[in-house]
């Protein structure tokens, strides 16, 4: 009987295919995480619209917002816990 030497080659094409598939999945996941869109805003958001006003516009006068002197107190009646006393 004569011995035969059989050489089984490593399937390099299959290994290359599996490595390429794994690299594509990892790269796709990394890019998907890095390039993901902005998170969705909550449903109850407040929208503020600001309009530019001209310098001469009466609405641009801020003197209305300044504090003013309080009117003189009415001292004709005193207020007690049970009501006004005149």
């Amino acid at each position: 009987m004569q011995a035969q030497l059989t050489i089984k080659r490593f399937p390099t094409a299959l290994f290359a295919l599996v490595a390429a598939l794994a690299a594509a999945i990892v790269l796709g996941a990394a890019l998907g995480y890095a390039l993901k869109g902005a998170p969705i805003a909550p449903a109850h958001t407040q929208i503020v619209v600001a309009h530019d006003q001209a310098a001469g516009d009466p609405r641009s006068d801020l003197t209305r917002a300044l504090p003013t002197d309080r009117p003189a107190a009415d001292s004709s009646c005193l207020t007690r816990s049970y009501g006004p006393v005149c």
Side-chain angles (χ1 to χ4, degrees):
M1 196 174 204
Q2 188 177 0
Q4 281 188 332
L5 179 63
T6 57
I7 299 175
K8 291 187 178 181
R9 295 184 58 193
F10 185 75
T12 55
L14 181 63
F15 178 72
L17 180 67
V18 170
L21 184 63
I25 290 173
V26 169
L27 185 63
L31 286 176
Y33 178 76
L35 300 176
K36 70 178 180 179
I40 297 174
H44 300 290
T45 58
Q46 182 178 5
I47 298 173
V48 178
V49 178
H51 296 285
D52 293 336
Q53 296 178 356
D57 193 3
R59 291 178 292 176
S60 67
D61 185 19
L62 298 178
T63 55
R64 294 177 299 185
L66 296 175
T68 58
D69 294 332
R70 299 178 85 187
D74 183 19
S75 60
S76 62
C77 293
L78 299 175
T79 304
R80 302 286 181 206
S81 60
Y82 51 84
V85 177
C86 295

